[in-house]
Amino acid sequence: MIELSGQMEAQYILRHHQHDPKDNQCSSSLVKHIKAPVGIVWSLVRRFDEPQKYKPFVSRCTVQGDLKIGSLRHVNVKSGLPATTSTEMLSLFDDKEHILGIRIIGGDHRLKNYSSILTVHPETIDGEEGTMVIESFVVDVPEGNTKEDTCYFVKAFINYNLASLCAVSERMAGRDRAGLGNV
Ligand code: A8S
């Protein structure tokens, strides 16, 4: 099973997560396996207007107008981080294939030309409906930093986000099962 999951992962990354980093950029992808159906996980991820539903560092988010490709969200992050705001654009949205892409276009942080893609795929985990989430990014390496440091910094935030997405989704899935009297 682990091998099969690894093959699927490699295929999904080839198909959806190609970023073409330039010399001054770093890029990577992270994978999370969640014990909740794809519908639950995607219902959280697809809300470009409400990242605080699962992202633990977001304190506030506002979007003006309808949600569509090119929509902007203004995000405030919690205190104690090396940033307070971020302006982010919805760059990819496929509600059927479960693909969400964002670009960070402003804010008081050091992530320049940041672009990320998150895809959500069904998989079987321990004989139950589960989800494989893949998130990849590319970003400029700031002056005075190394590629390694920059990747480490970004991956830490993404790992927190994915761990929280996992916790929230699995809680919701538990509730669903409880609701069906199937615990
Ligand atoms: C995301 C991914 C990242 C968000 C980072 C990497 C950020 O929201 C935080 C700290 C920063 O220094 C940059 O998908 C920024 O959320 C938590 C404000 C963009």
Side-chain angles (χ1 to χ4, degrees):
M1 274 318 284
I2 293 194
E3 197 141 302
L4 184 61
S5 157
Q7 281 173 27
M8 294 310 295
E9 179 184 319
Q11 276 186 27
Y12 294 139
I13 290 175
L14 270 175
R15 189 172 327 145
H16 300 294
H17 296 269
Q18 298 308 311
H19 288 283
D20 240 339
K22 303 195 184 78
D23 283 348
N24 66 329
Q25 292 188 311
C26 70
S27 179
S28 189
S29 60
L30 293 92
V31 178
K32 184 88 187 160
H33 301 276
I34 300 180
K35 291 179 177 171
V38 104
I40 288 181
V41 178
W42 179 246
S43 75
L44 294 160
V45 169
R46 70 188 293 285
R47 293 302 299 266
F48 176 76
D49 55 335
E50 286 191 322
Q52 66 274 28
K53 273 182 177 275
Y54 75 90
K55 290 188 180 186
F57 300 113
V58 173
S59 57
R60 187 164 181 267
C61 175
T62 53
V63 175
Q64 264 138 35
D66 295 343
L67 274 190
K68 53 181 188 306
I69 302 289
S71 289
L72 298 183
R73 70 182 174 198
H74 298 278
V75 173
N76 291 82
V77 295
K78 293 187 179 160
S79 57
L81 293 167
T84 59
T85 61
S86 179
T87 305
E88 305 176 353
M89 191 188 83
L90 183 63
S91 58
L92 288 172
F93 185 75
D94 190 327
D95 220 2
K96 246 175 130 170
E97 293 278 320
H98 302 149
I99 304 169
L100 180 99
I102 69 153
R103 278 173 197 280
I104 300 187
I105 59 161
D108 73 331
H109 53 73
R110 304 190 70 209
L111 300 184
K112 299 286 169 266
N113 294 316
Y114 181 90
S115 174
S116 72
I117 300 172
L118 196 160
T119 58
V120 169
H121 313 273
E123 69 173 351
T124 304
I125 306 177
D126 301 335
E128 289 201 80
E129 271 184 279
T131 302
M132 183 193 309
V133 178
I134 307 176
E135 184 161 356
S136 62
F137 67 90
V138 61
V139 67
D140 289 3
V141 175
E143 282 283 324
N145 286 80
T146 64
K147 268 187 198 181
E148 288 68 30
D149 289 344
T150 308
C151 244
Y152 183 86
F153 174 81
V154 173
K155 282 164 87 170
F157 282 114
I158 294 180
N159 269 322
Y160 275 116
N161 286 343
L162 293 179
S164 171
L165 177 63
C166 179
V168 176
S169 303
E170 290 183 355
R171 205 182 309 138
M172 285 168 73
R175 261 216 303 272
D176 280 355
R177 283 197 197 108
L180 293 168
N182 196 15
V183 176

